[in-house]
Amino acid sequence: QVQLQQSGPELVKPGASVRISCKASGYTFTSYYIHWVKQRPGQGLEWIGWIYPGNVNTKYNEKFKGKATLTADKSSSTAYMQLSSLTSEDSAVYFCATVSGDYYYGSTWYFDVWGAGTTVTVSS
Amino acid sequence: DIQMTQSPASLSVSVGETVTITCRASENIYSNLAWYQQKQGKSPQLLVYAATNLADGVPSRFSGSGSGTQYSLKINSLQSEDFGSYYCQHFWGTPYTFGGGTKLEIK
């Protein structure tokens, strides 16, 4: 079945960058978008953007342009998100999500498969 | 950007009660809406897609309704496993904004 395996927790210093990964399995990696979502402690969900591994096209929430960079490696079926110039505001759990292919309606793919999340803590 | 206003922010209810959570979009999203449930420390789970369709395995006590800018998630006869947080998300153009969330707690 479709699964997303995310990398482990990260403790990084302010001003540094971090790259987290999301390894896909159970489907053709190049066929579906992978989305990234941020959740700060005790807060709601924010959509960061998507990458389409088939052609490596990306779409970002304007709020995260310059902060997040989405990439994908077809050879390893892995999506990556790099976060740069980290501050305490970037301390959060970051989820990747994709579709199983079961929930397509009216030209919209609804993502129903989520990774477990990667906790990024920014602290000196 | 489309804003999603979700209410209430929190709700304290008893097992067996019925609850309704609403999301109002800042413009017409033509039913391109999903609802998720999230338990503490876990990733969100898809409950409803395209405003009214239950995802596989979601109990029939859950139902989604709405159109245009107004959408609702109704849970009949709440069970203990239903407690957690709920979010709506629109899919009518990026950014795919989420509502602020509703935390459902046991009374």
Side-chain angles (χ1 to χ4, degrees):
Chain A
Q1 74 276 29
V2 178
Q3 290 185 314
L4 298 174
Q5 178 78 32
Q6 293 191 235
S7 49
E10 299 275 0
L11 173 61
V12 291
K13 292 189 177 347
S17 296
V18 68
R19 189 177 78 159
I20 60 180
S21 66
C22 172
K23 183 173 174 58
S25 62
Y27 74 105
T28 303
F29 180 64
T30 52
S31 294
Y32 296 126
Y33 295 83
I34 288 189
H35 300 256
W36 290 87
V37 174
K38 176 183 180 181
Q39 186 169 39
R40 296 201 66 204
Q43 302 299 308
L45 303 165
E46 288 186 275
W47 181 80
I48 295 170
W50 56 248
I51 184 166
Y52 186 68
N55 56 17
V56 208
N57 274 355
T58 54
K59 184 74 172 180
Y60 294 91
N61 183 337
E62 284 291 325
K63 179 180 177 179
F64 292 94
K65 280 187 176 179
K67 171 61 64 179
T69 302
L70 305 182
T71 58
D73 178 6
K74 298 176 193 179
S75 67
S76 62
S77 298
T78 302
Y80 298 93
M81 178 171 66
Q82 178 158 323
L83 299 168
S84 60
S85 303
L86 291 164
T87 72
S88 59
E89 298 292 302
D90 300 314
S91 291
V93 176
Y94 293 88
F95 296 99
C96 58
T98 190
V99 303
S100 66
D102 292 341
Y103 302 107
Y104 178 75
Y105 195 99
S107 78
T108 297
W109 287 101
Y110 292 87
F111 42 89
D112 59 311
V113 180
W114 293 68
T118 295
T119 300
V120 174
T121 303
V122 182
S123 174
S124 55
Chain B
D1 295 357
I2 296 173
Q3 307 303 314
M4 301 300 294
T5 303
Q6 186 173 340
S7 60
S10 64
L11 211 47
S12 182
V13 296
S14 301
V15 169
E17 291 187 4
T18 295
V19 300
T20 300
I21 299 168
T22 63
C23 259
R24 186 182 78 249
S26 58
E27 61 184 82
N28 193 338
I29 57 171
Y30 301 95
S31 296
N32 286 271
L33 182 95
W35 289 97
Y36 303 91
Q37 178 193 65
Q38 185 181 32
K39 298 290 183 72
Q40 185 68 31
K42 300 294 186 182
S43 51
Q45 299 286 304
L46 180 68
L47 293 176
V48 174
Y49 65 100
T52 61
N53 299 276
L54 288 187
D56 292 345
V58 175
S60 58
R61 62 181 179 271
F62 289 87
S63 63
S65 64
S67 62
T69 62
Q70 299 275 6
Y71 299 88
S72 297
L73 176 72
K74 185 177 181 181
I75 314 172
N76 289 311
S77 189
L78 268 164
Q79 302 298 301
S80 58
E81 61 265 30
D82 299 336
F83 293 92
S85 294
Y86 292 81
Y87 296 91
C88 62
Q89 181 188 21
H90 85 82
F91 286 86
W92 189 248
T94 56
Y96 298 141
T97 318
F98 291 89
T102 296
K103 188 170 185 179
L104 204 52
E105 297 176 314
I106 301 174
K107 185 183 287 183

